[in-house]
Amino acid sequence: MNHVYKTKDTCATQISFDKDENGIVTNIVFTGGCNGNLKSLSKILDGWHADKIIEMLQGNLCGRRPTSCGDQLAKALMSA
């Protein structure tokens, strides 16, 4: 099932991804943000279980921001 999440406090404005009934996440696409880094992150995480992604990325910060694109992905997966 496809999900779209509007991010907060990051350069990326939106994250879309597919999550199947077993919790496997594919087709992660960030809109905006650090294009090369986020494309790489999307490729690395493709096929991972949502719980593992959340475990790895939740709480990661970007500079002085209270969050990061990775942290926002974790939030998106928790809300999906």
Side-chain angles (χ1 to χ4, degrees):
M1 173 180 226
N2 186 265
H3 300 273
V4 176
Y5 183 82
K6 298 285 185 188
T7 61
K8 295 179 182 170
D9 296 321
T10 60
C11 297
T13 57
Q14 178 177 294
I15 306 168
S16 65
F17 57 91
D18 294 327
K19 181 178 165 190
D20 72 13
E21 63 279 353
N22 297 314
I24 302 301
V25 180
T26 57
N27 302 317
I28 303 166
V29 176
F30 290 85
T31 302
C34 303
N35 190 36
N37 290 333
L38 295 175
K39 281 183 183 176
S40 296
L41 185 62
S42 298
K43 286 179 182 180
I44 291 167
L45 299 177
D46 192 66
W48 282 31
H49 193 278
D51 291 343
K52 184 65 174 175
I53 296 172
I54 293 165
E55 177 186 324
M56 295 296 289
L57 298 180
Q58 185 177 22
N60 284 298
L61 305 180
C62 182
R64 295 183 187 154
R65 295 173 190 256
T67 188
S68 68
C69 292
D71 183 55
Q72 288 292 295
L73 176 57
K75 291 178 187 313
L77 293 170
M78 288 187 288
S79 73

